[in-house]
Amino acid sequence: MSETLLAPAPVLTKPPPPRDGAFTMQDFKSDIKPIWCPGCGDYSVLTALAKALAELGRPREQVALISGIGCSSRLPAYTSVYGFHGVHGRALALATGVKLARPDLTVIAAGGDGDGLSIGGNHFLHACRRNVDMTYILMDNQVYGMTKGQASPTTAPDWCEGKLTPEGPGIAPVAPLRLALAAGVSFFARGFAGNPNELARLIVAGITHPGFAVIHVLSPCVTFRPEQRAWKQAVHPLEGAPATDLATAMARFAADDGFTTGIFYACAAPPFMPERKRTKQASDFAKRFLVEI
Amino acid sequence: MNHLSRIIVCDGNEAAAWGVKLSRPDVIAVYPITPQSSLVETLAKFVAEGELDAEVMPLEGEHSVLSALQGACLAGARTYTATSGPGLAFMFEPYVRTPGLRLPMVASLVNRDMLSPQCVWGGQQDVMTVRDAGWIQIFCESAQEVLDTVIMAYRIAEHPAVMLPVNVNHDGNYLSYGVSRVEIPDQAAVDAFLGEKNVNWHVALDPERPMAVDPLTGGADAEGAARFVAYRQSLCRGMQTALAVISEVHADWARVFGREHAALVEEYRLDDAEIGLVTIGSMSGAAKDAADAARAEGVRVGVIRIKTYRPFPIAAVAAAASKVGALGVVDRAVSYGWNCGPVYQDVLAALYSAGLRMPVLSFIGGLAGADLTGAHFARAIAMTRAALREADATLPAPPSPIWLNADGEATR
């Protein structure tokens, strides 16, 4: 390495576990202490993700976790897999690039409702229809937490605690499930941070699904939305197996109160992976352009 | 005549919000970002409490924010937004079109250093990256100056011979959150000072004179090329005219409200100085304190504070610089390609245009929220003085900046 290039400060983590042994949750957590508020749902998402990766038994050097900006986008630093904390709203674009360059990696994107549905909403639509084989953990607390409590696209229109919208946002919230189905997603599940074991199972199912999988996580912000503590009583499991056709999935959306957890939809759709063509040789061009004299 | 109606204690973001409120904008659009967020939240509170009749639109990102304001301004609204660092970067596409559209917006830049490495603290790399995009750039030193300048910015922007957007810059952290005493001018006096709003006379939605706004212009044919050049020349004329307008508006402000702020360049204890420090933004207070301390020990040093940075006040900077024999320019940003601070480059160019030749040092400090203290400026004074003593015909030397916070030691 050249002296003119200052390497990023090394992050000290535990030595890698043996590759042939069984993995534990701790193998996928870093030594960095999260700076989330006490009681934040994102702690449980971290636990569920580590549990899922341990269960899948994928060595950490075969997993990449990409995030944007926001409280929940701090997730990569707290894991021991490859991580990158990218530009606000662009986690899915970054993750797509990683997957195309390294199809062998298990690629996971993570972020919040602000990062993924507001400033990055555009990418959410196109990730759903592109169907790259990766998993998106969308941590939804219906508020911009990092900038201290403004309404997000999933905030109810009558929430009047946001300092930017003291009379409520006044517009209909985005429903991630409806948005994803309309954009052509091939897998959609909803989990709850307060139930990390179920969430870990959903993440495993999402990673195993061949294509783009959305794991919508209800992850309470106890600082700016203390009333979300009641989500524990509100959540209830989805009844029945995952829908495999759009009509059933749409019917499930219509019946959904926003607190149903489980796999709503999983359909077989070919994942996006452009076929790599052989690089043309000089002789290929010769056939087209050379003229016999 | 003093139209002072009340005195409050507030931070720089609230002071900016008071300036906006008194200017009576019609449409405010925003996306939250540190360290700006509390500024527009204060405006939202004014609106919710019935103290300001304006639309506050929280949008889905800064790109949409400035686009929405372009629409509002084209339709005749007085507009406002505020952003910082990465928010300004995301705004870039509509940002570069706003001056060419001659839309007289006012936007606060609560200056924040740029990524990467990731940081959320003060620095001026955000605005310095867009310094030649065609917006007028004004930098404030105190919360009071922020409030007063925001109001003045509307009159400058909407002046018919200017018609350009204005960024009022105040440093993130030090000015955005620093609390001080602020005088709130009287609403009726501000109304009279700003006069009738007329922001879209040149792009009117008028059935009597239908027009296509911003059609495809330029190209290889001579007529297209000439038309494109004419637009560019017109923008440059607006910028140069702004120098005089900014001075007039500041003079009028002092006359009406009794508070004098430097319009282009502030000269501090410069008249008998042998060396000068050039500063910009909130660092200037510490620089002035350091100059006072040095003078108490017999060092003849003054401070040249850049208030208006775009258009660059070449003549005013050269006039101030001509009073000294050496300069130390302190930047809170980096010009990577020149290996020096951006203000340093501008000062060198101003000296050259005035035929001045003297030692000039580039100091860079205060990056990513680092503190610039009196001790840092004392060091800059000592080094600039040494450069004056060692001056020879080859000066100024090729740029090689002095990094003020590189030693990792807190300097009190």
Side-chain angles (χ1 to χ4, degrees):
Chain A
M1 178 170 297
S2 156
E3 243 180 55
T4 59
L5 181 62
L6 184 69
V11 176
L12 300 175
T13 53
K14 298 169 289 262
R19 292 178 70 111
D20 51 350
F23 293 96
T24 70
M25 213 168 74
Q26 289 309 316
D27 294 328
F28 294 95
K29 289 189 174 178
S30 78
D31 294 338
I32 299 171
K33 192 174 179 298
I35 58 165
W36 292 317
C37 303
C40 175
D42 296 347
Y43 285 100
S44 301
V45 179
L46 172 62
T47 299
L49 175 62
K51 199 185 259 286
L53 291 171
E55 191 181 317
L56 284 164
R58 240 158 265 206
R60 55 189 182 175
E61 65 272 20
Q62 288 176 20
V63 181
L65 177 58
I66 313 294
S67 69
I69 296 290
C71 297
S72 56
S73 286
R74 292 181 172 274
L75 194 68
Y78 308 140
T79 71
S80 60
V81 302
Y82 288 133
F84 186 68
H85 192 187
V87 169
H88 195 17
R90 317 303 145 189
L92 288 169
L94 267 162
T96 299
V98 171
K99 185 67 183 179
L100 294 189
R102 284 285 304 273
D104 57 306
L105 291 181
T106 293
V107 176
I108 302 164
D113 42 309
D115 191 73
L117 299 173
S118 182
I119 202 162
N122 184 22
H123 303 295
F124 183 74
L125 298 181
H126 296 288
C128 286
R129 76 184 185 92
R130 192 172 284 120
N131 202 33
V132 172
D133 185 13
M134 58 187 191
T135 304
Y136 183 37
I137 300 176
L138 176 64
M139 287 165 263
D140 189 353
N141 56 12
Q142 302 175 1
V143 75
Y144 296 163
M146 185 170 267
T147 50
K148 304 204 177 352
Q150 298 85 7
S152 89
T154 53
T155 304
D158 58 352
W159 182 69
C160 296
E161 303 298 315
K163 278 185 270 180
L164 208 49
T165 51
E167 295 165 294
I171 49 176
V174 163
L177 172 56
R178 176 160 64 174
L179 205 60
L181 290 174
V185 78
S186 61
F187 182 102
F188 190 101
R190 187 185 294 131
F192 173 51
N195 192 350
N197 289 332
E198 183 206 25
L199 183 56
R201 281 195 298 277
L202 296 174
I203 293 172
V204 167
I207 291 173
T208 315
H209 171 77
F212 184 62
V214 177
I215 316 289
H216 179 212
V217 186
L218 301 171
S219 183
C221 172
V222 296
T223 300
F224 296 107
R225 306 293 310 260
E227 70 279 12
Q228 290 175 350
R229 290 176 196 277
W231 280 2
K232 201 161 187 64
Q233 285 76 47
V235 292
H236 53 91
L238 179 77
E239 295 189 2
T244 53
D245 66 288
L246 199 55
T248 312
M250 288 292 198
R252 279 191 173 164
F253 165 72
D256 176 35
D257 63 354
F259 292 98
T260 316
T261 64
I263 302 173
F264 282 77
Y265 183 55
C267 78
F272 175 86
M273 187 49 69
E275 193 185 333
R276 295 226 174 156
K277 293 194 177 123
R278 180 180 68 92
T279 306
K280 284 201 163 137
Q281 309 294 311
S283 55
D284 296 324
F285 292 101
K287 271 182 242 157
R288 253 179 91 188
F289 295 114
L290 279 192
V291 182
E292 301 249 350
I293 301 170
Chain B
M1 186 159 56
N2 190 354
H3 281 282
L4 171 69
S5 69
R6 60 173 144 160
I7 295 168
I8 63 165
V9 170
C10 70
D11 68 21
N13 279 353
E14 288 171 277
W18 272 99
V20 176
K21 171 184 184 291
L22 289 162
S23 304
R24 299 188 194 266
D26 304 290
V27 178
I28 299 162
V30 72
Y31 189 76
I33 187 163
T34 305
Q36 172 286 118
S37 304
S38 65
L39 197 170
V40 180
E41 283 178 347
T42 306
L43 287 169
K45 189 180 71 143
F46 288 146
V47 171
E49 290 171 354
E51 291 186 39
L52 170 63
D53 179 18
E55 286 294 326
V56 177
M57 295 192 297
L59 286 162
E60 59 278 0
E62 290 85 355
H63 195 280
S64 321
V65 163
L66 200 55
S67 300
L69 291 184
Q70 286 184 348
C73 194
L74 285 166
R78 185 175 275 171
T79 51
Y80 178 78
T81 189
T83 192
S84 304
L88 177 63
F90 188 40
M91 202 178 260
F92 188 65
E93 190 184 5
Y95 185 86
V96 292
R97 287 189 66 178
T98 306
L101 286 164
R102 308 304 289 269
L103 299 177
M105 295 180 186
V106 173
S108 288
L109 299 184
V110 188
N111 301 123
R112 169 172 160 179
D113 218 322
M114 289 302 280
L115 327 183
S116 288
Q118 297 233 14
C119 92
V120 296
W121 301 285
Q124 295 172 352
Q125 197 72 40
D126 53 0
V127 57
M128 291 303 170
T129 305
V130 299
R131 60 184 160 152
D132 285 316
W135 287 59
I136 290 170
Q137 300 294 344
I138 303 182
F139 286 73
C140 299
E141 182 186 342
S142 67
Q144 182 72 62
E145 192 177 24
V146 170
L147 189 159
D148 295 352
T149 303
V150 164
I151 299 169
M152 287 191 278
Y154 279 100
R155 204 166 116 182
I156 296 161
E158 294 173 11
H159 189 289
V162 176
M163 291 299 282
L164 284 171
V166 179
N167 282 144
V168 180
N169 290 266
H170 68 265
D171 285 300
N173 303 70
Y174 291 99
L175 258 182
S176 66
Y177 303 146
V179 169
S180 62
R181 172 190 185 279
V182 168
E183 298 181 6
I184 309 287
D186 175 63
Q187 180 69 65
V190 172
D191 290 346
F193 179 81
L194 287 180
E196 271 306 291
K197 150 195 91 182
N198 192 1
V199 301
N200 67 339
W201 50 269
H202 59 316
V203 286
L205 305 175
D206 183 352
E208 296 303 314
R209 41 179 192 137
M211 59 177 74
V213 175
D214 210 5
L216 202 59
T217 308
D221 69 288
E223 196 189 330
R227 189 174 297 122
F228 197 87
V229 169
Y231 276 109
R232 286 284 187 265
Q233 288 174 322
S234 163
L235 205 159
C236 285
R237 267 200 309 279
M239 268 287 188
Q240 290 309 304
T241 305
L243 284 169
V245 171
I246 292 167
S247 297
E248 284 163 26
V249 169
H250 278 70
D252 205 32
W253 182 269
R255 188 178 59 74
V256 175
F257 297 98
R259 271 194 301 282
E260 260 183 67
H261 301 290
L264 305 177
V265 168
E266 178 189 355
E267 297 186 12
Y268 181 77
R269 302 190 78 170
L270 212 57
D271 284 339
D272 66 336
E274 55 172 5
I275 60 165
L277 291 181
V278 180
T279 63
I280 185 163
S282 65
M283 68 165 83
S284 308
K288 289 172 186 171
D289 287 350
D292 290 345
R295 276 186 174 270
E297 290 174 11
V299 181
R300 286 185 289 127
V301 56
V303 175
I304 301 168
R305 173 171 75 98
I306 309 284
K307 165 80 180 277
T308 297
Y309 182 61
R310 285 294 183 271
F312 195 71
I314 301 170
V317 169
S322 70
K323 298 178 179 178
V324 299
L327 288 171
V329 183
V330 187
D331 273 277
R332 281 194 79 180
V334 186
S335 168
Y336 306 117
W338 272 92
N339 196 33
C340 63
V343 180
Y344 174 82
Q345 287 178 309
D346 289 298
V347 168
L348 285 194
L351 294 180
Y352 181 86
S353 71
L356 291 168
R357 195 169 175 79
M358 66 177 76
V360 190
L361 299 179
S362 174
F363 296 92
I364 295 176
L367 303 184
D371 210 357
L372 273 178
T373 65
H376 289 117
F377 288 104
R379 191 172 143 208
I381 290 167
M383 290 181 75
T384 306
R385 207 168 168 225
L388 175 66
R389 300 268 151 77
E390 294 155 16
D392 64 36
T394 64
L395 290 167
S400 177
I402 297 132
W403 301 84
L404 290 173
N405 305 98
D407 56 9
E409 285 172 28
T411 314
R412 293 266 156 226

